[in-house]
């Protein structure tokens, strides 16, 4: 599910409010970091909603590609070992 830009903006505002009302420095830092991340997501959602961007950001596409490569390696290892799944603790 992709988040809308409006929802991302609401989340960013919420986290800024948490930062503004907290007495704890660590809570403020975490909340401000979360607000920054939600702002990034909002910009990506705005670009996507305007049709200016693919469904995945460049970072998300890189992460998805890495997961796909890991799956392919697991499939190759599994195919070579017959019907037994690969266990990384197993000595080869």
């Amino acid at each position: 599910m992709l988040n809308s830009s409006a929802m991302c903006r609401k989340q960013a505002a919420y986290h800024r409010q948490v930062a503004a009302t907290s007495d704890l420095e660590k809570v403020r830092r975490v909340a401000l970091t979360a607000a920054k991340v939600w702002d990034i997501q909002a910009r990506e959602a705005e670009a996507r909603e305007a049709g200016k961007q693919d469904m995945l950001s460049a970072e998300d596409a890189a992460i998805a590609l890495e997961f796909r490569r890991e799956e392919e390696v697991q499939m190759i290892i599994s195919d070579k070992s017959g019907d037994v799944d690969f266990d990384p603790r197993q000595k080869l």
Side-chain angles (χ1 to χ4, degrees), residues 5-50:
S5 60
M7 195 280 291
C8 293
R9 294 287 180 206
K10 285 180 186 177
Q11 288 295 317
Y14 167 77
H15 286 287
R16 281 192 196 86
Q17 181 182 11
V18 168
T21 59
S22 178
D23 294 332
L24 301 173
E25 177 63 28
K26 188 169 186 171
V27 171
R28 286 192 300 269
R29 281 187 289 149
V30 169
L32 288 174
T33 300
K36 289 177 186 178
V37 172
W38 279 111
D39 283 334
I40 292 168
Q41 289 291 310
R43 286 192 299 274
E44 289 178 358
E46 287 165 351
R48 186 180 60 251
E49 291 163 359

Side-chain angles (χ1 to χ4, degrees), residues 35-92:
K36 289 177 186 178
V37 172
W38 279 111
D39 283 334
I40 292 168
Q41 289 291 310
R43 286 192 299 274
E44 289 178 358
E46 287 165 351
R48 186 180 60 251
E49 291 163 359
K52 296 178 182 176
Q53 185 181 22
D54 293 335
M55 296 303 278
L56 291 178
S57 69
E59 292 174 20
D60 289 341
I63 292 168
L65 180 60
E66 183 61 30
F67 279 122
R68 181 65 185 149
R69 287 181 179 155
E70 289 175 5
E71 289 173 0
E72 289 173 353
V73 168
Q74 288 289 22
M75 287 174 26
I76 290 169
I77 292 171
S78 179
D79 287 346
K80 288 183 178 178
S81 64
D83 293 331
V84 179
D85 288 335
F86 175 73
D87 181 358
R89 296 167 294 188
Q90 177 182 356
K91 293 185 179 187
L92 300 176

